[in-house]
Amino acid sequence: MTAFFVLTLLCVCVGLSQSLITPGKQVSRRNWFGQVASATAVVVATTTGVNVQPAFAVKATQEDKDKANILKGYNRLNFLLDNWEEETTVCKTGVDNPYLGCDRTPVKVMDYLGYKSTDDPLFRADRTLRRLGEAVESDQEREYMDAMEVYTERSESGSGTAYISSWGESNPGGGKDRVDMFIERSKKDVIGCRDSLKTAIRILKIE
């Protein structure tokens, strides 16, 4: 049985190796090792009756979670941009005076970019994108890296600009117009984040 096991596994590895050199068919090292691990598990189960879970099974679960968070975060940014005025405005109410006026608020911008809660899908999204980048094919690595860098830069800028706007009325010469100006500036950064995530989702084939 041992000889049969070795021979079968050798045949599988040789077959998979052909995929690395077959013209027109690109397979990353990570995917190749994953295929070998899966094939090994199948061979072991067939020859010994023992069900072996590949070592990358846990990582695949993390990968699925990362992809889900990126997609959810992308959809949330679309919602924020589609409802920008409503989401960045808060109206005050009171017992004696049911309408005290409405003001622009930057808090929602930081919320949607993942800077207010560790449970947000975009919390530390730069690390999430970096992990997912390990599965990107070599011919798309540059485009993916560019999208990841743009996201990180725009995310930090958008959150920072939104934070500055929260102090717009407190600073000398400040006022509601200054708050509005910084919030609208942060919108451009949110658009940049949304677009870079769209690129990453396309490359990663997330559905």
Side-chain angles (χ1 to χ4, degrees), residues 38-203:
S38 295
T40 301
V42 173
V43 172
V44 171
T46 302
T47 58
T48 67
V50 178
N51 186 18
V52 178
Q53 292 295 325
F56 67 89
V58 174
K59 182 176 288 188
T61 301
Q62 180 63 51
E63 181 176 302
D64 290 341
K65 180 179 178 181
D66 287 342
K67 287 182 176 181
N69 280 336
I70 291 299
L71 182 59
K72 184 176 181 181
Y74 168 75
N75 289 332
R76 277 168 51 81
L77 291 185
N78 272 326
F79 178 83
L80 172 61
L81 291 169
D82 290 341
N83 301 275
W84 183 258
E85 289 289 337
E86 297 88 341
E87 289 297 300
T88 58
T89 301
V90 59
C91 295
K92 304 173 183 178
T93 59
V95 177
D96 297 329
N97 185 353
Y99 182 74
L100 297 177
C102 298
D103 295 309
R104 301 297 297 279
T105 174
V107 176
K108 284 294 187 71
V109 177
M110 292 182 280
D111 277 344
Y112 279 87
L113 289 176
Y115 285 92
K116 301 292 287 185
S117 172
T118 58
D119 295 326
D120 191 273
L122 291 182
F123 176 70
R124 293 184 177 175
D126 55 330
R127 298 185 182 183
T128 303
L129 291 169
R130 192 174 299 113
R131 285 195 300 270
L132 291 172
E134 296 176 4
V136 174
E137 301 295 343
S138 58
D139 61 331
Q140 294 182 302
E141 283 182 354
R142 184 66 265 170
E143 183 182 11
Y144 184 85
M145 289 294 294
D146 288 343
M148 185 172 67
E149 290 174 4
V150 169
Y151 175 83
T152 301
E153 178 183 338
R154 288 301 189 94
S155 178
E156 293 176 352
S157 175
S159 179
T161 302
Y163 178 78
I164 291 174
S165 74
S166 66
W167 295 92
E169 292 189 73
S170 301
N171 294 329
K176 290 186 177 181
D177 58 328
R178 299 288 292 176
V179 174
D180 292 347
M181 180 188 72
F182 281 111
I183 288 179
E184 291 307 313
R185 282 185 182 179
S186 71
K187 183 177 182 179
K188 296 180 180 179
D189 289 317
V190 174
I191 292 174
C193 289
R194 188 270 312 275
D195 292 346
S196 59
L197 288 182
K198 183 178 181 180
T199 299
I201 288 171
R202 172 177 54 81
I203 294 174

